[in-house]
Amino acid sequence: MLQGKTVLLGVTGGIAAYKAAYLASALVKQHCSVEVILTEHATKFIAPLTFEQLTGNRCMVDTFDRNFSHQVEHIALARRADLVMVAPATANVCAKLAHGLADDMLTTTVLACSCPKLIAPAMNTGMYENPVTQDNLDLLRKYGWEVIAPASGRLACGDVGAGKLPEPDLLLQHILRVLALPHDLEGKRVLVTAGPTQEALDPVRYLTNHSTGKMGYAIARMAMLRGAQVTLVSGPTALEPPPFVEVVPVVSAQDMFEAVTSRQEPSDLIFKAAAVADYTPADYSDDKVKKKEGDLSIPLKRTQDILQYLGDHRRPGQVICGFSMETRDLLQNSTAKLEKKRVDMICANNLKVAGAGFGTDTNVITLITRNGAEELPLLSKEEAASRILDRAVALL
Ligand SMILES: Cc1cc2nc3c(=O)[nH]c(=O)nc-3n(C[C@H](O)[C@H](O)[C@H](O)COP(=O)(O)O)c2cc1C
């Protein structure tokens, strides 16, 4: 996702410096060019050679090192960088960057950078909570830095509290959020429903369907990467929630209906990708349901139609998108659904096509709007999510 991008990774003299090696490696796997600058003290914790082997680029420490190209290296690097990440950032480097000091290769280069800058402070809890450090972090925010909050837990010094460097994968996710895709959904609210719902028949059994939530989660993640503020209302799934997305877990269709309709802030874009169980037990209680001796059947009633409700109660300017699963007459049935539910787009799956539908990592979708139908080829669910978002954005 980072092909053609250059990340400048600054590593400072903290105990968590080793984690920066995992981050450098993860960035390279995203096809990113990674330039690493270590502070002199960082070299006490991890060797430049480690980063050189991982990134294929020379690792820099000394501003006055003349052993490379004729350009003024810190300025050339600052121009090349699409993003700066300082991780781990010592209390010392946070203070220097906040006050514009430039007394080594890292601080000098970063001072010359105009690209997005992220910093992950990592230190002993006392150092982190010290008002001086907090003021320095506030100053960095004021100067446009994104400060990544440290994790809490047992620190290397034995203290328990805030100050741990977040895991490399979370740092990578922060970088992806800023850099991976153009932010054409910046300032937009996106609501996605995903997964199955479950209708309890009794304390042991429930009605559900085969939805895994993969398609809805992919839409939520791609919308987040495009800068949207995303809420994901999810039935029970085995999936890792996408980072930087507000996840509202629900179980039943009624829970999902309430979670979707009780939102205070109206969404600009809504994707109803959840496969809601169609039926729920009707008045299931011993008082109301008269059972004959030995009759184990459970009376059912239809669950609330969330998409229909959203279409009927549309807010001005909202774009609403539903999904349909068909085994025949895909175009005809999905176009009828577009009209009946009063929505803007239907993403139709033909369950009989290999690689489409529940559980797979791929999908074959036809996008149906009032302007016509577009059949997409077999795509990964992330690629399909991007195409769905492209179409929905055009309708905004
Ligand atoms: C074993 C050890 C671990 C350290 N860990 C941290 C740390 O996690 N965070 C921090 O801010 N300073 C830590 N320090 C202190 C810094 O190394 C020290 O402030 C140094 O001057 C930082 O240099 P730099 O900011 O130029 O990398 C540690 C020092 C030692 C000896």
Side-chain angles (χ1 to χ4, degrees), residues 171-224:
L171 299 175
L172 172 68
Q173 297 304 328
H174 276 277
I175 292 172
L176 289 173
R177 176 163 71 146
V178 175
L179 208 54
L181 297 174
H183 282 194
D184 59 347
L185 285 174
E186 192 77 61
K188 300 286 182 208
R189 287 176 204 279
V190 173
L191 175 65
V192 184
T193 70
T197 56
Q198 293 176 352
E199 301 302 321
L201 296 171
D202 58 34
V204 178
R205 297 168 298 160
Y206 55 80
L207 270 178
T208 191
N209 55 58
H210 291 294
S211 171
T212 58
K214 284 182 180 175
M215 193 65 240
Y217 276 55
I219 293 174
R221 178 170 150 76
M222 298 314 277
M224 173 277 292

Side-chain angles (χ1 to χ4, degrees), residues 113-375:
C113 283
S114 55
C115 60
K117 296 195 268 291
L118 282 66
I119 190 161
M123 61 202 71
N124 159 274
T125 307
M127 293 168 83
Y128 177 67
E129 289 177 349
N130 191 310
V132 165
T133 304
Q134 289 301 316
D135 282 353
N136 286 333
L137 295 177
D138 282 344
L139 261 182
L140 286 169
R141 286 187 194 97
K142 182 184 143 203
Y143 292 128
W145 284 78
E146 183 180 333
V147 178
I148 299 171
S152 291
R154 190 184 173 283
L155 305 174
C157 57
D159 286 1
V160 177
K164 274 167 79 86
L165 184 69
E167 290 308 311
D169 184 58
L170 182 55
L171 299 175
L172 172 68
Q173 297 304 328
H174 276 277
I175 292 172
L176 289 173
R177 176 163 71 146
V178 175
L179 208 54
L181 297 174
H183 282 194
D184 59 347
L185 285 174
E186 192 77 61
K188 300 286 182 208
R189 287 176 204 279
V190 173
L191 175 65
V192 184
T193 70
T197 56
Q198 293 176 352
E199 301 302 321
L201 296 171
D202 58 34
V204 178
R205 297 168 298 160
Y206 55 80
L207 270 178
T208 191
N209 55 58
H210 291 294
S211 171
T212 58
K214 284 182 180 175
M215 193 65 240
Y217 276 55
I219 293 174
R221 178 170 150 76
M222 298 314 277
M224 173 277 292
L225 290 174
R226 288 166 76 151
Q229 189 181 327
V230 183
T231 302
L232 175 63
V233 177
S234 175
T237 75
L239 302 175
E240 193 67 32
F244 317 120
V245 163
E246 182 200 1
V247 179
V248 182
V250 295
V251 176
S252 69
Q254 187 58 28
D255 294 343
M256 186 170 277
F257 176 78
E258 283 164 19
V260 167
T261 56
S262 65
R263 301 199 62 71
Q264 299 298 316
E265 302 282 355
S267 305
D268 300 294
L269 270 168
I270 302 180
F271 297 90
K272 201 234 127 198
V276 174
D278 290 333
Y279 292 97
T280 190
D283 302 320
Y284 185 69
S285 76
D286 284 345
D287 295 349
K288 291 187 185 147
V289 179
K290 299 268 179 277
K291 285 188 208 161
K292 285 188 197 145
E293 191 70 19
D295 180 4
L296 296 177
S297 67
I298 293 165
L300 299 173
K301 66 173 184 191
R302 272 197 97 76
T303 50
Q304 178 84 33
D305 187 331
I306 297 172
L307 191 60
Q308 185 74 63
Y309 182 93
L310 291 170
D312 290 344
H313 297 82
R314 168 197 300 277
R315 309 278 191 108
Q318 216 165 42
V319 169
I320 304 173
C321 174
F323 280 69
S324 78
M325 296 275 184
E326 307 291 344
T327 48
R328 50 192 289 223
D329 301 328
L330 178 125
L331 262 184
Q332 204 180 329
N333 292 344
S334 303
T335 308
K337 197 170 181 182
L338 185 77
E339 294 309 329
K340 180 169 180 297
K341 312 274 182 183
R342 305 168 70 182
V343 297
D344 304 286
M345 179 159 78
I346 294 289
C347 305
N349 278 271
N350 186 339
L351 289 184
K352 290 206 163 156
V353 174
F358 293 128
T360 59
D361 289 324
T362 56
N363 216 347
V364 185
I365 284 180
T366 302
L367 301 179
I368 299 159
T369 65
R370 286 185 179 75
N371 301 327
E374 180 190 2
E375 195 181 334

Side-chain angles (χ1 to χ4, degrees), residues 12-15 39 41-42 45 90-93 96 104 122-123 127:
T12 69
I15 197 74
T39 62
H41 285 128
F45 294 85
T90 53
N92 176 54
V93 155
K96 288 206 281 183
D104 64 7
M123 61 202 71
M127 293 168 83

